[in-house]
């Protein structure tokens, strides 16, 4: 992964400001055994969790005893614990589990597509995931949308700078950091594995759309694409500017949806 050690602050903002939700839970060292009253506490949520779903990252992760699935999903929390155990025992990075499920949050009732993996940082193991709503872009009704990211939230004090670098490297969404002329500054493991050869052409295609929005009066910092053609088929692509006014961009690619059951994966 090129230049990651030179970009720690940028990487933290890339994850916190992502146009899809990035989140992590700390796995207990006793796996496969766990305590539903204290284990799999939320460690990190990106800023989008607040504006899209109505729950602030600080509320979910703050304190000596962060919240977990039992607190937020009292009717079916066991399914969440079993799923996280499965990810942490059978889907160690670079393996990725895909899930389509219904979500009911204070601000949104929707269906989301989730990608999960597991990573280690220091002595701790984490379930690391990304999810986004099953919206008009996922369905292909809309092929391109430019807009603004939500206002930046305060950086969580409990997250170590080095953790962001590890999370970027292991993120289940293939992701890269690029310059405004398309040069690749850093890319994570799955981007190198899945899209290394096609990334330059994807960047060129996206930059042509991005440059066309630069004359707009509003400060555009997020661009979403739903029908980018790759060898593996149609793909979703997100591009975003983690810092207002910065020339550097982040780009993330993943295959478009497949309706799959909760226990199906690859």
């Amino acid at each position: 992964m090129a230049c990651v050690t030179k970009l720690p602050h940028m990487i933290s903002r890339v994850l916190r400001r992502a146009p899809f939700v990035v989140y992590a839970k700390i796995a207990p060292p006793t796996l496969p055994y766990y305590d539903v009253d204290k284990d799999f506490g939320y460690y990190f949520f990106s800023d989008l969790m607040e504006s899209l779903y109505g729950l602030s990252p600080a509320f979910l992760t703050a304190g000596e005893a962060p919240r977990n699935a039992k607190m937020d999903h009292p009717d079916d929390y066991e399914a969440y614990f079993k799923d996280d155990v499965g990810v942490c025992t059978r889907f160690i990075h670079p393996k990725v589990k895909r899930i389509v499920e219904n979500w009911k949050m204070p601000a949104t009732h929707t269906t989301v597509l989730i990608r999960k993996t597991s990573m280690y940082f220091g002595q701790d193991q984490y379930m690391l995931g990304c999810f986004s709503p099953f919206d008009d872009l996922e369905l292909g009704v809309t092929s391109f949308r430019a807009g603004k990211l939500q206002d930046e939230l305060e950086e969580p004090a409990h997250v170590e700078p080095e953790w962001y670098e590890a999370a970027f490297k292991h993120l289940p969404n293939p992701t890269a950091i690029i310059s405004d002329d398309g040069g690749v500054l850093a890319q994570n493991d799955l981007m190198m594995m899945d899209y290394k050869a096609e990334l330059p052409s994807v960047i060129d295609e996206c930059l042509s759309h991005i440059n066309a929005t630069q004359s707009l009066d509003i400060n555009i910092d997020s661009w979403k694409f739903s029908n980018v053609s790759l060898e593996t088929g149609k793909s979703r692509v997100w591009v975003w500017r983690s810092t207002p006014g910065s020339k550097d961009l982040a780009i993330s690619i993943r295959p478009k949806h497949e309706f799959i059951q909760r226990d199906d994966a690859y």
Side-chain angles (χ1 to χ4, degrees):
M1 182 171 56
C3 306
V4 161
T5 56
K6 300 180 181 179
L7 300 171
H9 183 63
M10 184 183 298
I11 287 173
S12 73
R13 297 179 72 100
V14 164
L15 296 183
R16 287 165 43 218
R17 303 280 289 147
F20 46 83
V21 175
V22 179
Y23 72 117
K25 304 176 186 179
I26 300 180
T30 55
L31 291 180
Y33 306 104
Y34 56 90
D35 184 339
V36 297
D37 292 316
K38 66 177 184 179
D39 289 336
F40 283 106
Y42 305 136
Y43 180 75
F44 174 80
F45 274 97
S46 55
D47 292 358
L48 187 63
M49 191 66 182
E50 179 174 275
S51 62
L52 194 59
Y53 297 102
L55 291 170
S56 75
F59 168 75
L60 292 167
T61 63
E64 295 183 2
R67 301 179 68 85
N68 68 7
K70 184 179 181 181
M71 300 178 187
D72 294 323
H73 305 280
D75 296 331
D76 58 351
Y77 63 87
E78 277 287 1
Y80 288 87
F81 281 94
K82 290 179 180 178
D83 191 76
D84 289 334
V85 170
V87 170
C88 289
T89 54
R90 296 188 292 113
F91 289 87
I92 309 297
H93 175 82
K95 293 182 178 179
V96 175
K97 181 171 185 177
R98 299 175 298 166
I99 304 167
V100 174
E101 69 178 30
N102 295 326
W103 260 53
K104 288 188 177 182
M105 294 287 105
T108 307
H109 292 187
T110 187
T111 300
V112 295
L113 192 150
I114 309 172
R115 291 169 62 91
K116 291 183 175 183
T117 190
S118 179
M119 75 168 200
Y120 287 89
F121 176 70
Q123 299 299 312
D124 295 320
Q125 185 180 13
Y126 295 80
M127 188 292 298
L128 179 66
C130 300
F131 65 84
S132 52
F134 216 91
D135 58 9
D136 56 328
L137 283 146
E138 195 70 50
L139 294 171
V141 176
T142 300
S143 61
F144 170 69
R145 176 178 294 130
K148 287 177 61 62
L149 296 172
Q150 76 155 53
D151 293 338
E152 184 176 6
L153 301 179
E154 184 176 351
E155 185 170 3
H158 69 280
V159 180
E160 299 178 53
E162 294 80 9
W163 184 88
Y164 289 109
E165 296 179 44
F168 177 83
K169 173 182 172 63
H170 296 93
L171 202 68
N173 277 10
T175 304
I177 299 173
I178 62 175
S179 61
D180 63 344
D181 62 1
V184 178
L185 304 177
Q187 53 189 314
N188 73 352
D189 288 356
L190 286 182
M191 184 66 85
M192 295 265 305
M193 291 171 58
D194 296 346
Y195 298 109
K196 183 178 181 180
E198 295 181 282
L199 181 57
S201 62
V202 173
I203 292 172
D204 288 343
E205 179 179 346
C206 292
L207 286 179
S208 66
H209 288 272
I210 291 169
N211 292 335
T213 67
Q214 299 305 301
S215 61
L216 299 177
D217 291 336
I218 60 174
N219 183 25
I220 300 294
D221 54 15
S222 173
W223 302 266
K224 302 175 183 179
F225 305 82
S226 72
N227 289 310
V228 176
S229 296
L230 299 174
E231 288 186 4
T232 53
K234 297 291 186 180
S235 294
R236 287 288 307 269
V237 178
W238 293 264
V239 182
W240 67 102
R241 202 182 305 279
S242 60
T243 303
S246 171
K247 293 185 178 181
D248 298 324
L249 301 164
I251 183 169
S252 188
I253 307 169
R254 69 153 168 77
K256 290 197 69 174
H257 73 85
E258 293 177 2
F259 274 112
I260 50 181
Q261 298 300 315
R262 185 176 182 85
D263 291 334
D264 291 343
Y266 67 88

